[in-house]
Amino acid sequence: MAAVTLSVDAMGGDRGVANVVAASLAALKRHAELFVVLVGDEQLVKQALASAGGADQSRVSVHHASQVVAMDESPASALRGKKDSSMRVAINLLKSGDADACISAGNTGALMATARFVLKTLPGIERPALCSAIPGDNSRAYMLDLGANLESTAQNLYQFALMGSELVKAVHGISAPRIGLLNVGSEDMKGVEEVRQAGKLLTASNLNYQGFIEGDQIYKSVVDVVVCDGFVGNVSLKSSEGVARFVTDRLKEEFKGSLWGKLSALVAMPVLKAFADKVNPDRYNGASLLGLNGVVVKSHGGANEFAFGNAIDLAVVEGLENVPAKIAKQLEDNSSAENA
């Protein structure tokens, strides 16, 4: 059985070291092939491990880091002044080959800047992108970019599609993931020039491109990969999360409003629970930083143990499958086909 070592930024996020340690120990139970390096203040990490009780810690090691990147710290400040931060050291372990994947719930901008500076981008990739799973009617899809690049060229969008396709192949075993380009309409003449040109590049590629899709199709399972620039992706995702919370909260209020509502809630509870589970963002936690020379996964800063564990699961699969190498191979194959 192949092994995978995960370097974990134990100091990142809003819930503290104990939450990261608990999620990491739980992941070791799910993945017999997993080894974890917890990076951070050695004393605090070891205290959290000691408090974890009888959990098996034979595949856990601690790597000390003396600094922490604050959640509101600028990427430039983190790069210049926090060279021994838990985030930077965790990424350095990936760079040196002492880890196969890295995960952090810390400052997103600092993580992207540090990972790009330390690991560099894959040959042929102009910009890395943030990619995360989203719920669908029948299965989850993956959407990118979610905020790393607020403006993107047609070539950037084409590369996002290629990277997302390779991620879905690796994570879900889909041989030819369906790709959709998010646009304001399905007709060829719709949208801004960059999106229209990206559509032409994808049509001419060997990717399984399905054409333009509109916003109301994102969660319809019509494609496996939704491609857009970071501005559109971030706004779409945050809006969707807001709508899901609004609907859930309003339903709770309506059911609590009267005796009839409370009785109706008892009958509807199984359906409501299934709905809440399906749209629960904790289930889809974990955004991949695609396009780098290494596997880096960003967890939501407020992730609880369950959510952080889902991000760990994604990092484990990407590390075992060596997604960056598969992206690089696909880029090389496409380049050879274009030059033939």
Side-chain angles (χ1 to χ4, degrees):
M1 178 184 295
V4 60
T5 299
L6 181 62
S7 61
V8 181
D9 174 8
M11 313 304 290
D14 303 325
R15 291 178 178 257
V17 178
N19 183 68
V20 173
V21 168
S24 299
L25 292 176
L28 288 167
K29 295 180 181 178
R30 296 192 299 274
H31 303 283
E33 72 279 20
L34 176 62
F35 292 80
V36 170
V37 182
L38 294 168
V39 182
D41 184 300
E42 186 173 16
Q43 183 177 354
L44 293 177
V45 174
K46 287 187 174 180
Q47 285 176 355
L49 286 169
S51 299
D56 180 15
Q57 299 179 16
S58 61
R59 288 178 283 137
V60 179
S61 60
V62 180
H63 193 111
H64 180 67
S66 62
Q67 297 173 305
V68 177
V69 175
M71 295 300 281
D72 59 351
E73 192 162 352
S74 73
S77 174
L79 269 176
R80 289 194 303 264
K82 296 291 180 69
K83 294 182 180 180
D84 196 46
S85 70
S86 55
M87 179 185 291
R88 178 72 170 264
V89 173
I91 295 171
N92 286 343
L93 290 173
L94 183 58
K95 172 71 174 179
S96 65
D98 294 306
D100 303 296
C102 171
I103 184 171
S104 174
N107 181 318
T108 303
L111 181 66
M112 175 61 84
T114 303
R116 186 170 184 178
F117 177 78
V118 173
L119 301 172
K120 313 303 181 189
T121 56
L122 292 167
I125 292 294
E126 297 176 1
R127 297 181 181 181
L130 275 170
C131 179
S132 184
I134 55 176
D137 278 348
N138 304 315
S139 61
R140 64 179 58 190
Y142 286 77
M143 189 171 183
L144 74 166
D145 178 29
L146 296 178
N149 307 280
L150 297 187
E151 295 181 356
S152 302
T153 65
Q155 185 67 22
N156 294 151
L157 293 170
Y158 165 74
Q159 292 179 357
F160 295 167
L162 183 150
M163 295 190 294
S165 179
E166 290 303 313
L167 176 67
V168 172
K169 286 181 187 179
V171 174
H172 295 291
I174 299 174
S175 59
R178 300 163 299 166
I179 297 166
L181 195 55
L182 191 59
N183 202 355
V184 295
S186 58
E187 298 86 357
D188 290 341
M189 75 288 296
K190 291 289 185 69
V192 297
E193 179 67 17
E194 290 81 3
V195 173
R196 295 198 304 271
Q197 288 301 318
K200 292 178 181 178
L201 291 175
L202 289 168
T203 299
S205 75
N206 62 358
L207 299 173
N208 188 12
Y209 178 55
Q210 303 292 301
F212 296 145
I213 66 167
E214 299 183 64
D216 61 350
Q217 295 177 291
I218 293 175
Y219 301 97
K220 288 291 186 181
S221 298
V222 296
V223 294
D224 303 299
V225 181
V226 180
V227 179
C228 56
D229 65 44
F231 182 89
V232 171
N234 192 275
V235 171
S236 298
L237 185 66
K238 296 290 178 60
S239 298
S240 300
E241 290 175 350
V243 169
R245 283 193 296 268
F246 171 77
V247 171
T248 302
D249 291 344
R250 288 310 307 159
L251 284 172
K252 288 179 180 178
E253 289 300 317
E254 292 298 329
F255 281 130
K256 290 191 300 184
S258 65
L259 177 60
W260 175 248
K262 293 175 183 178
L263 292 172
S264 300
L266 291 175
V267 176
M269 193 57 66
V271 176
L272 293 174
K273 187 178 185 304
F275 169 76
D277 286 344
K278 188 159 191 175
V279 301
N280 181 5
D282 290 347
R283 187 173 296 278
Y284 305 94
N285 182 51
S288 305
L289 277 63
L290 298 180
L292 300 170
N293 276 298
V295 174
V296 180
V297 172
K298 169 68 174 73
S299 168
H300 192 282
N304 56 26
E305 180 183 333
F306 170 72
F308 197 85
N310 285 326
I312 289 177
D313 292 345
L314 176 62
V316 169
V317 174
E318 287 192 48
L320 286 171
E321 295 290 333
N322 198 352
V323 171
K326 293 185 175 181
I327 291 174
K329 179 65 166 57
Q330 183 64 35
L331 282 166
E332 182 181 341
D333 290 347
N334 284 10
S335 179
S336 299
E338 290 172 3
N339 295 329

